[in-house]
Amino acid sequence: MRTIQDATDRLRMHHYPTTTADLLAACGDVEIEYSDGSETLAEVFGRLDAETYETHEEATAALYSAVSAGAIGRKFYSDRDPFSPGADVRTQRSL
């Protein structure tokens, strides 16, 4: 299984600065597998405008900004949501 970390490691090995076209020629076939499917770097970067990436960090930020919904665990989930109305949060409870 290729994770998104595997893909960022592959981006790190590329020579920078680089263009989107050069990056995809070298790494576009790298497939990222998610629990609900997979996609290639060519598909991910295909959602973005053509760019020149000066560093690995810029390319990685672009990757993370363009992955599909398959990369998201539970959509709209946050453990930082406010408490439910009527919940008494002042009372400590022992688990």
Side-chain angles (χ1 to χ4, degrees):
M1 176 178 207
R2 292 205 90 123
T3 66
I4 198 162
Q5 184 60 50
D6 295 329
T8 60
D9 290 344
R10 181 79 179 268
L11 292 176
R12 183 178 290 115
M13 293 187 299
H14 193 73
H15 180 72
Y16 293 89
T18 191
T19 64
T20 302
D22 291 339
L23 193 61
L24 293 183
C27 307
D29 62 336
V30 172
E31 189 170 358
I32 305 168
E33 295 181 13
Y34 309 125
S35 60
D36 291 338
S38 65
E39 63 185 335
T40 64
L41 284 182
E43 292 171 315
V44 174
F45 281 94
R47 296 183 188 103
L48 303 171
D49 293 333
E51 295 276 339
T52 297
Y53 300 104
E54 298 295 327
T55 64
H56 160 260
E57 289 80 11
E58 287 181 9
T60 300
L63 168 67
Y64 277 90
S65 72
V67 292
S68 69
I72 301 170
R74 288 174 39 193
K75 291 183 184 179
F76 310 114
Y77 173 78
S78 172
D79 62 354
R80 309 250 187 302
D81 287 338
F83 291 101
S84 300
D88 184 4
V89 296
R90 296 171 293 170
T91 305
Q92 291 185 351
R93 294 185 181 106
S94 175
L95 301 175

